[in-house]
Amino acid sequence: MTAPRTLPGHLAHPFSPRGRLDPYPAYRWLREHDPVHFDVTSRMWLLTAHADCALALRDPRFSAALGQRERVRDDELPPSMLTTDPPEHQRLRSPGALLMGPAAIRGIAGDIEAGIGAVLDGLAGREEFEATADLGEPLATGVLARLFGLPAADVPAFAGLAARVSVNLDPLAGPQAAAAGRAAMGELTRFLGERADAAAEAAEAAGAAEAAEAAEAAEAAGAAGAAGNGPGGSPFGRLAADDRLTRAEMLGIAALTVVGGWKPLAEMVGNALHWLLPRQEAAGLIRDGGPQAAEAAVDELLRLESPIPFTARVTTEAVPLDGGVIPAGARVLALVGAANRDPAVFDRPDELLVTRSPNPHLAFGAGTHLCLGAPLVRQAGGLLLSGLLERYPGLRRTGKPPAWAPGLVPRRLTGFTLAI
């Protein structure tokens, strides 16, 4: 291998404190000059071109299971869709769809819409609010509480646990934060375990009731054997009642749904408003364009600011790419934040085009690991943004300009105060 190239002196490394605030100049240089880059600082291969990142996310030669090696911490995430390769991945993903799949989301769509309406109602009469604390976090809490079928009395404790386990998103978290994350993960798992049996019983009872009602209707209509078989209850109840998983596997999927879903959904709101509010024409297209336009805009906003800016893999054999050969056993980061602004794929890649179509961004991953929660994020994000812009058309930034947080994951703004 030839001597690795280094970033020019005027560019901050994207993982450095300064580079984390604005990684895009470094991403651009790497994509143009060294898209298959061996980084001597992290001892990892950094991929920045869209084609290479898409390949790494889809190709079985890039192992997600071995990608846990990238975690500086010595704790491992429990087996789940995120941390396994096929065929084990598919064994877990199929029942996991009971919690996060399209059918599960359709079943609670009305509850999600009502919950978002309540979040927006809560802003009425206020002069200002903070984007994440007062809007993003209540959105994420409400959406996930409905997935898990939590009663109102459980929601405050759930919100606190969701906030505390979010440190587990950062594979480079320090020892103190990692220890706090491990403790919080244990508490969350116990919290969900205590509610799993009741949720499963409710799902089974609702399923039996639905089947009986369908059978009665079929008999009345003279249609033999037309009884329905779709179970009711919450998505979590249907997951907990599924016998394809061990209890530990079921709880691992449930807990990691919280880890991987709560914080990114909460932070997406501030990131999106950061781009939208200075661009009133784009905001108007979301406000007036209906649900499909709003969901398409969520994709574009995630393309520009992906809360999860990279995905780790390890190669199981040497992989030749246009920019070089990655050896077997190499630690690889697919920098989706860079790939999502690749001009070879996206016209005007650094601009917000809310009607962009097609939009093959990688913020939800790709291939077998494509995020199961993507439809939920599009729906909830679209409903929130369109409703917010419709109810509060004078929304504007106030106070100091928001700052990008120094952490790597998730990419998020801090101190983003808005006036109504």
Side-chain angles (χ1 to χ4, degrees), residues 116-137:
I116 290 172
V119 171
L120 296 176
D121 289 344
L123 300 178
R126 300 184 60 167
E127 294 183 357
E128 62 182 38
F129 64 92
E130 205 282 322
T132 299
D134 297 325
L135 192 58
E137 291 180 0

Side-chain angles (χ1 to χ4, degrees), residues 13 15 38-46 70 331 333:
H13 191 286
F15 297 166
F38 181 73
D39 179 47
V40 296
T41 302
S42 62
R43 310 297 296 176
M44 290 185 276
W45 292 80
L46 308 182
E70 302 319 307
R331 304 183 300 167
L333 287 186

Side-chain angles (χ1 to χ4, degrees), residues 200-262:
E201 289 173 5
E204 290 171 343
E210 287 184 5
E213 290 174 5
E216 290 176 6
E219 183 178 354
N229 59 6
S234 69
F236 179 49
R238 293 193 290 274
L239 175 68
D242 193 278
D243 61 6
R244 289 173 291 177
L245 300 175
T246 67
R247 186 176 180 84
E249 289 169 340
M250 178 274 292
L251 290 174
I253 289 173
L256 282 171
T257 297
V258 180
V259 174
W262 188 83

Side-chain angles (χ1 to χ4, degrees), residues 31 35-36 46-59 61-62 319-324 326 332-336 338-346 360-362 365-367:
R31 198 173 51 237
V36 181
L46 308 182
L47 304 181
T48 48
H50 186 280
D52 293 338
C53 289
L55 179 71
L57 295 174
R58 292 187 173 100
D59 194 307
R61 294 174 294 178
F62 293 85
V319 181
L321 301 172
D322 287 345
I326 301 180
V332 179
L333 287 186
L335 298 177
V336 298
N340 284 343
R341 298 195 185 196
D342 188 340
V345 177
F346 302 100
H361 69 84
L362 301 175

Side-chain angles (χ1 to χ4, degrees), residues 99-102 104-106 108-109 112 116 139-140 143-144 146-147 257 261 265 268 295 298 364 371-383:
L99 180 63
M100 292 287 285
I105 305 310
R106 285 194 298 271
I108 59 170
I112 290 174
I116 290 172
L139 166 72
V143 167
L144 290 179
R146 283 162 176 82
L147 277 183
T257 297
L265 183 56
M268 182 202 75
E295 291 184 17
V298 169
F364 291 126
C371 178
L372 264 177
L376 175 63
V377 172
R378 291 188 181 104
Q379 180 184 16
L383 284 169

Side-chain angles (χ1 to χ4, degrees), residues 24-223:
Y24 298 107
Y27 287 168
R28 188 179 305 113
W29 189 93
L30 288 170
R31 198 173 51 237
E32 293 174 356
H33 297 92
D34 198 16
V36 181
H37 173 76
F38 181 73
D39 179 47
V40 296
T41 302
S42 62
R43 310 297 296 176
M44 290 185 276
W45 292 80
L46 308 182
L47 304 181
T48 48
H50 186 280
D52 293 338
C53 289
L55 179 71
L57 295 174
R58 292 187 173 100
D59 194 307
R61 294 174 294 178
F62 293 85
S63 169
L66 295 177
Q68 281 211 80
R69 191 182 304 175
E70 302 319 307
R71 295 170 65 82
V72 169
R73 315 198 306 253
D74 59 6
D75 58 318
E76 289 192 355
L77 295 172
S80 74
M81 296 169 285
L82 298 178
T83 61
T84 52
D85 298 321
E88 181 70 358
H89 168 81
Q90 191 58 38
R91 185 183 71 81
L92 297 171
R93 185 180 178 92
S94 294
L98 295 171
L99 180 63
M100 292 287 285
I105 305 310
R106 285 194 298 271
I108 59 170
D111 290 339
I112 290 174
E113 186 169 3
I116 290 172
V119 171
L120 296 176
D121 289 344
L123 300 178
R126 300 184 60 167
E127 294 183 357
E128 62 182 38
F129 64 92
E130 205 282 322
T132 299
D134 297 325
L135 192 58
E137 291 180 0
L139 166 72
T141 298
V143 167
L144 290 179
R146 283 162 176 82
L147 277 183
F148 288 99
L150 298 179
D154 283 347
V155 171
F158 174 75
L161 285 170
R164 289 169 54 206
V165 298
S166 294
V167 70
N168 291 293
L169 278 173
D170 190 349
L172 305 179
Q176 186 173 358
R182 283 194 298 272
M185 192 69 163
E187 291 180 46
L188 175 65
T189 302
R190 287 191 293 274
F191 176 92
L192 295 174
E194 289 167 359
R195 288 149 184 83
D197 292 338
E201 289 173 5
E204 290 171 343
E210 287 184 5
E213 290 174 5
E216 290 176 6
E219 183 178 354

Side-chain angles (χ1 to χ4, degrees), residues 24 264-269 271-272 275 294-309 336-341 346 352 354 359 361-365 371 373-379 381-382 385 411:
Y24 298 107
L265 183 56
E267 301 297 354
M268 182 202 75
V269 175
N271 294 1
W275 278 91
E295 291 184 17
V298 169
D299 274 304
E300 175 68 352
L301 292 159
L302 287 170
R303 181 190 70 82
L304 283 165
E305 297 292 354
S306 305
I308 308 298
V336 298
N340 284 343
R341 298 195 185 196
F346 302 100
L352 174 66
V354 294
N359 192 345
H361 69 84
L362 301 175
F364 291 126
C371 178
L376 175 63
V377 172
R378 291 188 181 104
Q379 180 184 16
L385 292 174
R411 178 160 171 78

